[in-house]
Amino acid sequence: MAYWLMQGNISHWRIRDFFTDGHTATTWTIRQHWKRMSAGDGVAIWLSGPGGGVVALGHVTAEPHFGTADDPYWTGRDGEQWLVPVEFAQHFVNRPIGREKLEGDPRFAHALILRMAGGRNPFPLEDQEWAAIVDRVPPAGPQVVATAVRGAAAGAAAVVTAGASAVKEAFRTAVG
């Protein structure tokens, strides 16, 4: 079994809509390593840009193939290309495992994505690099929201606002 990191960009993949709408499977465009990838290989999704990092884990569901992608959540994937089908078991788009956390882990510090961020998908991961990611996956379930409240009128408004935010986040976490 091999492990792969797929880099994505929210300007080309509507990842939040994809997961919010209940999807778990898609095809990913790959530019290399199609002969080395196989069903069952582990996959981590890395969102590029500020606030990015690893946001989902899954696996390859079938052998890569050359074809045309048909997924409304993707843009800019015209014509035939190498594709690999993947399915995600976990996603944590709103709580990514940030680049800085992974850079600070000696198991991940020399990962190809850190040395060649402009490289082509997929990026192979060593066993220890995969472990550094898996060890940092946020726990599933609702998150606790705490707020400090000062002043009676402002305090009541802050509690209502914090409560609404907590409910939204709990719902987002529960469905994703």
Side-chain angles (χ1 to χ4, degrees), residues 1 8 20 56 70 74 101 136 138 150:
M1 178 170 165
T20 299
D70 184 24
W74 286 94
K101 287 187 180 178
R136 287 179 168 74
R150 294 190 176 104

Side-chain angles (χ1 to χ4, degrees), residues 62-89:
E63 303 302 313
H65 62 278
F66 196 75
T68 304
D70 184 24
D71 186 330
Y73 295 92
W74 286 94
T75 61
R77 293 197 324 175
D78 299 326
E80 290 192 338
Q81 53 208 315
W82 279 99
L83 303 166
V84 64
V86 295
E87 184 165 2
F88 304 106

Side-chain angles (χ1 to χ4, degrees), residues 52-122:
V54 175
V55 297
L57 294 180
H59 64 278
V60 174
T61 59
E63 303 302 313
H65 62 278
F66 196 75
T68 304
D70 184 24
D71 186 330
Y73 295 92
W74 286 94
T75 61
R77 293 197 324 175
D78 299 326
E80 290 192 338
Q81 53 208 315
W82 279 99
L83 303 166
V84 64
V86 295
E87 184 165 2
F88 304 106
Q90 301 171 270
H91 70 86
F92 29 93
V93 177
N94 295 321
R95 298 172 287 151
I97 304 168
R99 175 187 188 106
E100 64 286 343
K101 287 187 180 178
L102 290 167
E103 283 176 323
D105 187 321
R107 299 173 296 173
F108 198 87
H110 300 288
L112 192 55
I113 187 74
L114 299 177
R115 293 181 284 129
M116 297 183 66
R120 303 182 309 171
N121 279 319

Side-chain angles (χ1 to χ4, degrees), residues 14 20 31 35 51 77 81 94 96 113 121 123 126 134 147:
R14 295 183 0 246
T20 299
R31 308 247 188 252
K35 291 182 181 178
R77 293 197 324 175
Q81 53 208 315
N94 295 321
I113 187 74
N121 279 319
F123 295 84
E126 300 293 330
V134 171
T147 184

